[in-house]
Amino acid sequence: ATSKKVNKATSFSLMLAVVQLLLLIGFSFLGTAPHVKERDPQVYNYLIGVGIMMLIGFGYLMTFLRWYGLGAVGLTLLITSLGVQSSL
């Protein structure tokens, strides 16, 4: 049973490393900086609102469950950060 947990943790870590590497390669080859002189403050407020909803709303709502408390917060942070990276 312990070796299965180690194998799952190792495969999950390896999968995350591959995703990060693919995102890094995609950013370096496909990414271009936008030439925008002014940023719309409404877009910034919208992004902040969505980020707060994802991190606080979903993450800490799940902390009150008995078995998945801190795991829910960590997984919410992981999914939110991967979503932000891939949306850029």
Side-chain angles (χ1 to χ4, degrees):
T2 308
S3 64
K4 274 192 171 183
K5 284 187 178 183
V6 171
N7 289 337
K8 284 183 181 181
T10 304
S11 63
F12 184 70
S13 300
L14 184 63
M15 181 195 65
L16 282 178
V18 168
V19 168
Q20 287 295 317
L21 184 65
L22 289 175
L23 285 172
L24 181 66
I25 292 170
F27 286 149
S28 63
F29 288 118
L30 302 174
T32 58
H35 300 289
V36 178
K37 294 180 181 177
E38 293 182 17
R39 301 234 182 230
D40 187 16
Q42 186 66 29
V43 173
Y44 177 74
N45 289 334
Y46 175 73
L47 291 175
I48 292 296
V50 170
I52 288 173
M53 179 185 66
M54 287 296 293
L55 296 175
I56 295 174
F58 295 137
Y60 289 103
L61 180 68
M62 297 297 288
T63 59
F64 296 106
L65 292 175
R66 183 175 180 180
W67 294 308
Y68 303 111
L70 294 176
V73 175
L75 198 57
T76 302
L77 285 169
L78 177 72
I79 290 170
T80 303
S81 64
L82 285 176
V84 166
Q85 284 180 354
S86 64
S87 70
L88 291 176

